[in-house]
Amino acid sequence: MTIDYVHGYSELESRRLGDQANALAALLHGGTSYPAGSRVLEVGCGIGAQTAHLVASSPGARIVAVDVNEASLAQARDRVLATSPDAEVEWHCADLFELPFPDASFDHLFVCFVLEHLADPHRALVELRRLLRPGGTITAIEGDHGSVLFHPDSAHARAAIDCQVRLQALAGGDACTGRKLQPLLANAGYGGITVRARPVYADQNLPELVEGFTRNTFIAMVESVGDDALAAGLTTPDDWHRGVADLRRTAEAGGTFQYTFFKAVAVNGS
Amino acid sequence: MTIDYVHGYSELESRRLGDQANALAALLHGGTSYPAGSRVLEVGCGIGAQTAHLVASSPGARIVAVDVNEASLAQARDRVLATSPDAEVEWHCADLFELPFPDASFDHLFVCFVLEHLADPHRALVELRRLLRPGGTITAIEGDHGSVLFHPDSAHARAAIDCQVRLQALAGGDACTGRKLQPLLANAGYGGITVRARPVYADQNLPELVEGFTRNTFIAMVESVGDDALAAGLTTPDDWHRGVADLRRTAEAGGTFQYTFFKAVAVNGS
């Protein structure tokens, strides 16, 4: 069984990625702002969910966004045009391992929810360092599915989440990348590494996060792999439906949901 | 098998609790400061690990500290005397369910790492609300062992942690209380509930947290239940030693460790 990209490219998935980016913008991107004139490369921009926030928080930065998928890139272009009509983003369709840029041509790299989908994130980080001027920074953001925690707890819900973890592994990725950012960056030769946990906690007193994160980001993400999980024999229809139903209870009154993202910043040089 | 208090009362354990409180002071107690003259009750102060920080951050508040254990209370008194010689704390040895105070006699309640050890945290919270004036606040802080996440991952390390979770359950407690604070407080009649995640992340670039939290707080806590876990037949000597050894690797170079505390503030009234 081959799965290129665990989340797929459907319209529903595009909406999910947009919801996720909006609900989490302050949490994930707080503290990330690049000076006017600086050359910033976003690697694996996908449908531009994060690009829109990058552009908004770094007016005047010269942002270059790259993705391997032409259709995603077209969506990204539309999204940024809609939110920041005056922004001048340079778009490139290219593979992360064959980026058409000279050495040391960027001041900053931004890599969000990308390493988790790569079979060899180490090689990617080494490659990317080539593009960074000495003293330039890389910002990497990843989730970690080992951090999921909810009430009421449910073995079925955990098994449903585990289906996504296993599908992502079958596709060569790793849904538990967040905890590994520090050693990944250190082993790829970066210095001055700081990693910080950025948790999302939602209960009924935080209805926007329940809606924007628990329901429309996390549960939607798990639900979207149902057909693949069944096709791969990782679950049965009954177990799957019970797992999803139990997950949904965590977004009801009295339920709680918690997930931790990790944000790393490191320097090319020591 | 009966265990009154999963962490025990040893001298090593006292040091561990002190290390934990110091390493985590800013994280756990940031934002908690009571006005001069306000009447504050700390319930289950133990050896005063948190009391010392309460006193320091709320000069002039009239702090009353209660614990059921006379020896812990004596240590708490010494600890606060050593760190804040001028502080006037009123100490009481009493059971949480038979507190010798009139109704509505406190402006604020502070309950840190206590609910997790109670067989009936709901009843405790209902009881405590009696002591709070209308509009007064309760602050409750709890960890959640379901939040533990580390690199390198290890099934043995997770099994060792699970021994502590199961021993705590045998003693009538719940090591996964953090995620339940919102429903617990709501069901006990409190209003205006805000719960926030307070994560601790440590890697080699945060050596004080590796030492103060990963090693001297969390791993020390797990290690301290080894004899009880073996006596209760929850593990074997080989599995236990491998689990602890794997846990220790997370505090070495290239290792990472993450734990989430939850801090809730709620009001007596809506």
Side-chain angles (χ1 to χ4, degrees):
Chain A
M1 169 159 196
T2 304
I3 301 166
D4 282 342
Y5 175 59
V6 68
H7 304 314
Y9 293 103
S10 71
E11 197 182 323
L12 207 70
E13 175 61 13
S14 291
R15 201 182 325 142
R16 186 187 74 79
L17 292 170
D19 278 343
Q20 169 174 289
N22 291 331
L24 301 180
L27 181 95
L28 297 181
H29 303 308
T32 299
S33 173
Y34 300 110
S38 61
R39 299 157 300 169
V40 180
L41 175 65
E42 184 187 7
V43 181
C45 68
I47 60 155
Q50 317 301 331
T51 321
H53 293 286
L54 262 190
V55 163
S57 59
S58 299
R62 289 153 56 195
I63 296 176
V64 178
V66 170
D67 201 87
V68 70
N69 185 287
E70 190 75 71
S72 296
L73 213 51
Q75 280 188 66
R77 204 184 295 247
D78 291 348
R79 177 180 295 267
V80 170
L81 199 64
T83 54
S84 301
D86 298 332
E88 289 182 30
V89 177
E90 199 181 308
W91 306 94
H92 285 271
C93 189
D95 187 279
L96 193 152
F97 294 101
E98 293 170 7
L99 291 173
F101 308 112
D103 289 4
S105 51
F106 291 96
D107 298 304
H108 304 287
L109 304 181
F110 183 83
V111 193
C112 184
F113 306 142
V114 173
L115 299 173
E116 59 169 321
H117 297 296
L118 305 178
D120 193 346
H122 170 75
R123 202 184 122 218
L125 287 170
V126 170
E127 264 296 296
L128 288 174
R129 200 157 69 80
R130 178 185 71 77
L131 303 178
L132 206 52
R133 69 159 164 83
T137 72
I138 183 170
T139 296
I141 301 175
E142 290 292 345
D144 193 310
H145 279 20
S147 74
V148 182
L149 168 159
F150 43 81
H151 176 76
D153 198 7
S154 150
H156 280 87
R158 281 186 269 118
I161 295 167
D162 197 48
C163 286
Q164 203 238 295
V165 174
R166 290 156 76 189
L167 285 169
Q168 192 158 339
L170 284 172
D174 179 357
C176 298
T177 295
R179 74 186 78 177
K180 298 169 190 163
L181 285 175
Q182 189 275 330
L184 276 170
L185 287 161
N187 293 338
Y190 294 85
I193 304 164
T194 61
V195 179
R196 293 295 179 272
R198 302 226 168 174
V200 188
Y201 166 84
D203 66 34
Q204 67 190 81
N205 296 315
L206 297 159
E208 283 182 24
L209 280 176
V210 170
E211 196 60 20
F213 184 71
T214 309
R215 211 173 262 135
N216 294 341
T217 299
F218 193 85
I219 298 177
M221 174 186 68
V222 172
E223 283 195 79
S224 74
V225 303
D227 292 343
D228 287 342
L230 288 163
L234 300 179
T235 184
T236 66
D238 279 359
D239 284 348
W240 179 256
H241 289 301
R242 181 151 168 208
V244 169
D246 284 357
L247 263 185
R248 286 191 185 136
R249 284 187 58 201
T250 71
E252 303 298 328
T256 67
F257 193 91
Q258 154 80 17
Y259 189 89
T260 304
F261 294 93
F262 293 84
K263 181 169 182 171
V265 180
V267 178
N268 183 21
S270 53
Chain B
M1 167 158 198
T2 305
I3 300 164
D4 281 343
Y5 175 58
V6 69
H7 304 315
Y9 292 103
S10 71
E11 197 182 323
L12 206 70
E13 175 61 14
S14 292
R15 201 181 328 141
R16 186 188 73 79
L17 292 171
D19 279 344
Q20 168 174 288
N22 291 332
L24 301 180
L27 181 95
L28 297 181
H29 303 309
T32 300
S33 173
Y34 300 111
S38 60
R39 299 156 301 168
V40 179
L41 176 66
E42 184 188 7
V43 181
C45 68
I47 61 156
Q50 318 300 331
T51 322
H53 293 286
L54 263 191
V55 163
S57 59
S58 299
R62 290 151 59 194
I63 295 175
V64 179
V66 170
D67 202 86
V68 71
N69 186 286
E70 191 75 70
S72 296
L73 213 52
Q75 280 189 66
R77 207 184 292 248
D78 291 348
R79 178 181 292 267
V80 170
L81 199 65
T83 53
S84 302
D86 299 331
E88 290 181 28
V89 176
E90 197 182 310
W91 306 94
H92 286 271
C93 189
D95 188 279
L96 193 152
F97 293 102
E98 293 170 5
L99 291 174
F101 308 112
D103 289 4
S105 51
F106 291 96
D107 298 305
H108 304 288
L109 304 180
F110 183 83
V111 193
C112 185
F113 305 143
V114 174
L115 299 173
E116 59 169 321
H117 296 296
L118 305 178
D120 194 346
H122 170 74
R123 202 185 121 218
L125 287 171
V126 170
E127 264 295 296
L128 289 175
R129 200 158 68 82
R130 179 186 72 77
L131 302 178
L132 205 53
R133 69 159 165 83
T137 72
I138 182 170
T139 296
I141 302 175
E142 291 293 343
D144 193 309
H145 279 20
S147 74
V148 183
L149 169 157
F150 43 80
H151 176 74
D153 198 8
S154 149
H156 280 87
R158 281 186 269 117
I161 295 167
D162 196 47
C163 286
Q164 203 237 296
V165 174
R166 289 157 76 189
L167 286 170
Q168 192 158 338
L170 285 171
D174 179 357
C176 298
T177 296
R179 74 185 79 178
K180 297 170 190 161
L181 285 175
Q182 190 275 331
L184 276 170
L185 288 162
N187 293 338
Y190 295 85
I193 304 164
T194 60
V195 179
R196 294 294 178 273
R198 301 227 170 172
V200 189
Y201 166 83
D203 66 35
Q204 68 191 80
N205 296 315
L206 297 159
E208 284 183 23
L209 279 177
V210 170
E211 196 60 18
F213 184 71
T214 309
R215 212 172 262 136
N216 294 340
T217 298
F218 192 86
I219 298 177
M221 175 184 69
V222 172
E223 282 194 80
S224 73
V225 304
D227 291 343
D228 288 342
L230 288 163
L234 300 179
T235 185
T236 64
D238 280 359
D239 285 347
W240 180 257
H241 290 300
R242 179 148 173 212
V244 169
D246 284 358
L247 263 185
R248 285 190 187 135
R249 286 187 59 201
T250 71
E252 304 299 326
T256 67
F257 192 91
Q258 153 81 17
Y259 189 90
T260 304
F261 293 94
F262 293 84
K263 181 169 183 172
V265 181
V267 178
N268 182 21
S270 54

